[in-house]
Amino acid sequence: MTIRTRFAPSPTGNLHLGSIRTALYSWLYTRNRGGEFVLRIEDTDQERSTKEATQNIMESMEWLGLDYDAGPFYQAERLDKYRQAAEQLIEEGSAYRCYCSKERLTELRDKQLANKEKPKYDGCCRDKNLPARADQPFVIRFRNDLEGSVSFEDQVLGPLSFQNSELDDLVIIRSDLFPTYNFCVVVDDLSMKITHVIRGADHINNTPRQINIFRAFKAEPPIYAHVPLILGKDGKLLSKRHGAVSVLQYRDDGYLPEALLNCLVRLGWSHGNQEIFSRDEIIKLFDIKDINKAAASFDPEKLLWLNRHYIKTLDSKVIADRLKPFMQELKIDYQTSGPTLEELVVGLRERAETLREMAIKSRYFYENFEQYEDDAKKHLTPEIIPFVEAFKQSLEKLDAWTDEALHQAIEEVAKQFGLKLGKIAQPIRVAVTGSTVSPPLNTTLRLIGKQNTLKRISAVLLYLAKT
RNA sequence: GCUCCCUUCGUCUAGUGGCCUAGGACGUCGCCCUCUCACGGCGAAAACAUGGGUUCGAGUCCCAUAGGGAGCGCCA
């Protein structure tokens, strides 16, 4: 039997960390077992579904490299299937038409809540066998067993059992003829031959209802695995309405997909003490049985650490390539002059947490700056003039503009003036970068280039003369 | 309110009855390296929710309590 899993998001908002992680687990499971991964867009909510959200979902998956073997299927395009299936259930006595008004139902609900009862449909139309009428709106409800229980073996949580008396007769077709979630899921999982349903733990309570519908169709339900939810820093669920950030926001903030993937997979799943996983490794090692039962809080600091790790260790060509959009966005011209992007990456990779930060920090390699940063100015005092001039002369004579030659030049000037390296390096750093922070001075000078270095040193001498 | 789920350092986790005076990672703090910032190295503080059982022995099994989370729609 080939394994088939699916990711079935509803396009009612941007895809966030929680959703993409269940997609990831689902995807990993099929990739590990050589199965098929299906994408299904659950857009039966006409009110809230948007094209933009669908676009956002696909783009997020593409960015993280979660490719699918079938789909995307859109439920809104399969409405006939659901209607037919519902009719079939009515004929077989597993569903019925209900003409109860929304007003009556809200009233019922309020009353039950006031009585501290669990709100449920009272079965008013359950046994009336009402026919379809064109002049009056009705819904179709599933006829749930009143007694007995539903049990299943969850792959993450173990054996689970629910009393049928806790379930009520849920609406499967709305009065506008659109199907509802719990019904579409079953019809689709059945027709798409889904073998394993890996989804968020917020669906646990839906599972017994869905299993009953499967049974009504005389079909075997798939195997279920409910993965624990992701909580925010405050311990509350990460959701569209609460602190959830779009997956693409991480891309736009300069995170690498490798880092986010690694971070996400490790949130609720583990393989001994290992922290760093390549994509291939995760696929090879992933198993549902290693998923943790408890909900986890997402820690942005750890993501940052992983991002730094991948910025430092991924091929510099790859990083350079990923850096381009950020350079363009910041309008830094890296093509006409200055170091190549790859040289830049090698110089900055150990001091940037994100690609965006790297781009921001690269500015002085490509552009001359207008002024010195405020806290940098204190290094520019008249005392430095002699050795800055000496250094300038020594640079002018320098043929080889390399790290080694530059390092030697700096050291020689320091020796000549009997100063420690730090004493002269910092003022020069300020002179050429405008700030107190940069890669090692020799590397910084090398990347800025001879011409611009000398220009900026002349500029600092002018500045010093004026003060 | 009812139903269901969960509970090891601040956070992510290892741990499947003796190897645990509980290990790793992020973060925090200290030291070293050092031309700044980083990287790196070394080290420290930091947890089995509580109470009962079961057992020769419990973080590991059972039961209660507490705490947290989710669900209870003509949303998904």
Side-chain angles (χ1 to χ4, degrees):
Chain A
M1 181 187 71
T2 23
I3 281 170
R4 267 168 89 89
T5 66
R6 49 35 165 216
F7 177 46
S10 65
T12 55
N14 290 338
L15 203 58
H16 60 84
L17 256 29
S19 323
I20 196 76
R21 192 192 55 158
T22 59
L24 173 64
Y25 284 177
S26 216
W27 177 84
L28 282 171
Y29 190 65
T30 52
R31 291 295 172 262
N32 172 274
R33 306 285 167 120
E36 288 174 341
F37 182 55
V38 179
L39 176 61
R40 184 171 76 216
I41 306 293
E42 309 218 326
D43 54 353
T44 51
D45 184 344
Q46 292 291 287
E47 301 274 302
R48 296 190 298 148
S49 296
T50 65
K51 264 209 142 60
E52 292 71 42
T54 304
Q55 184 58 30
N56 180 281
I57 289 165
M58 313 253 257
E59 227 176 298
S60 301
M61 291 177 71
E62 195 186 338
W63 180 56
L64 288 173
L66 305 187
D67 53 339
Y68 37 88
D69 308 295
F73 298 109
Y74 295 87
Q75 288 185 328
E77 293 171 4
R78 302 160 56 84
L79 299 175
D80 285 350
K81 273 193 164 45
Y82 310 121
R83 287 169 192 163
Q84 273 168 27
E87 288 300 328
Q88 184 194 332
L89 289 188
I90 292 178
E91 275 170 37
E92 293 171 1
S94 298
Y96 58 90
R97 298 184 186 84
C98 165
Y99 285 88
C100 292
S101 69
K102 283 186 186 176
E103 292 70 39
R104 191 182 95 78
L105 294 174
T106 340
E107 204 177 300
L108 177 70
R109 210 184 111 88
D110 291 349
K111 209 162 71 190
Q112 286 165 331
L113 238 30
N115 287 342
K116 308 193 169 188
E117 286 167 27
K118 184 170 180 167
K120 275 195 291 194
Y121 179 60
D122 61 356
C124 173
C125 300
R126 182 178 163 105
D127 296 314
K128 291 181 182 165
N129 195 19
L130 298 165
R133 285 171 55 177
D135 61 331
Q136 210 176 331
F138 61 88
V139 299
I140 300 176
R141 288 183 183 273
F142 180 71
R143 180 195 294 270
N144 221 312
D145 281 350
L146 300 172
E147 288 165 5
S149 62
V150 189
S151 304
F152 65 98
E153 183 78 17
D154 190 276
Q155 298 300 292
V156 173
L157 300 168
L160 258 30
S161 189
F162 297 80
Q163 294 299 317
N164 273 324
S165 55
E166 288 298 330
L167 278 25
D168 67 346
D169 289 356
L170 69 162
V171 171
I172 58 177
I173 301 286
R174 291 181 261 232
S175 50
D176 64 0
L177 294 182
F178 271 76
T180 60
Y181 165 74
N182 277 299
F183 190 57
C184 298
V185 166
V186 174
V187 172
D188 282 344
D189 283 345
L190 205 51
S191 76
M192 293 175 190
K193 297 187 165 52
I194 301 301
T195 60
H196 293 70
V197 170
I198 301 172
R199 65 188 359 171
D202 49 340
H203 288 288
I204 292 175
N205 291 286
N206 288 324
T207 309
R209 302 171 201 282
Q210 292 173 13
I211 288 178
N212 283 342
I213 299 176
F214 272 106
R215 296 263 153 81
F217 283 120
K218 298 173 188 65
E220 230 4 74
I223 293 166
Y224 291 98
H226 288 97
V227 315
L229 303 171
I230 298 181
L231 275 22
K233 259 270 177 269
D234 56 357
K236 287 266 185 292
L237 176 71
L238 213 58
S239 74
K240 284 164 191 163
R241 301 164 268 283
H242 180 86
V245 180
S246 165
V247 170
L248 294 184
Q249 187 64 50
Y250 288 95
R251 177 194 65 185
D252 298 343
D253 285 346
Y255 289 89
L256 296 164
E258 288 83 353
L260 192 59
L261 218 55
N262 197 147
C263 190
L264 248 25
V265 78
R266 200 56 192 61
L267 202 59
W269 172 88
S270 61
H271 180 73
N273 281 333
Q274 189 170 343
E275 295 287 347
I276 304 290
F277 296 89
S278 73
R279 185 189 189 75
D280 290 345
E281 253 178 323
I282 309 174
I283 291 174
K284 202 161 71 189
L285 299 171
F286 185 81
D287 196 343
I288 293 178
K289 74 171 169 43
D290 295 315
I291 296 177
N292 212 43
K293 285 183 179 186
S297 302
F298 170 66
D299 182 6
E301 295 286 349
K302 192 142 185 181
L303 206 214
L304 226 33
W305 171 71
L306 282 160
N307 207 47
R308 284 199 300 263
H309 171 82
Y310 285 105
I311 285 179
K312 278 182 297 192
T313 54
L314 249 37
D315 190 279
S316 53
K317 275 198 187 70
V318 172
I319 304 292
D321 205 49
R322 307 250 181 99
L323 188 63
K324 282 178 188 166
F326 294 93
M327 300 297 276
Q328 279 152 9
E329 196 191 329
L330 291 170
K331 300 200 166 38
I332 299 172
D333 177 11
Y334 58 90
Q335 310 205 56
T336 38
S337 65
T340 66
L341 239 35
E342 217 181 316
E343 288 172 323
L344 180 78
V345 167
V346 173
L348 288 179
R349 69 187 340 175
E350 278 174 10
R351 55 213 98 216
E353 298 195 302
T354 64
L355 294 173
R356 174 175 294 281
E357 190 192 345
M358 190 182 278
I360 291 169
K361 285 182 168 174
S362 77
R363 187 144 245 149
Y364 57 76
F365 291 112
Y366 298 98
E367 296 171 6
N368 290 320
F369 47 88
E370 299 295 315
Q371 26 185 285
Y372 305 103
E373 286 173 13
D374 282 341
D375 60 342
K377 284 178 183 162
K378 65 172 185 283
H379 294 281
L380 304 178
T381 58
E383 296 87 77
I384 69 170
I385 295 174
F387 67 74
V388 171
E389 274 177 340
F391 186 57
K392 186 182 170 215
Q393 280 168 26
S394 131
L395 289 185
E396 279 163 349
K397 283 183 289 186
L398 210 61
D399 304 318
W401 198 256
T402 63
D403 277 356
E404 298 72 35
L406 287 163
H407 182 71
Q408 209 177 356
I410 299 164
E411 272 196 326
E412 271 167 19
V413 174
K415 211 162 88 186
Q416 190 185 330
F417 287 83
L419 292 170
K420 292 183 74 172
L421 220 52
K423 272 287 185 207
I424 80 159
Q426 207 52 358
I428 292 169
R429 170 171 283 116
V430 172
V432 298
T433 70
S435 86
T436 57
V437 177
S438 87
L441 193 56
N442 55 340
T443 304
T444 303
L445 297 178
R446 191 194 86 230
L447 293 175
I448 289 172
K450 186 166 183 174
Q451 203 190 343
N452 278 326
T453 298
L454 290 172
K455 203 190 281 179
R456 291 178 196 179
I457 291 179
S458 300
V460 84
L461 288 169
L462 216 64
Y463 171 88
L464 287 166
K466 273 194 253 173
T467 47

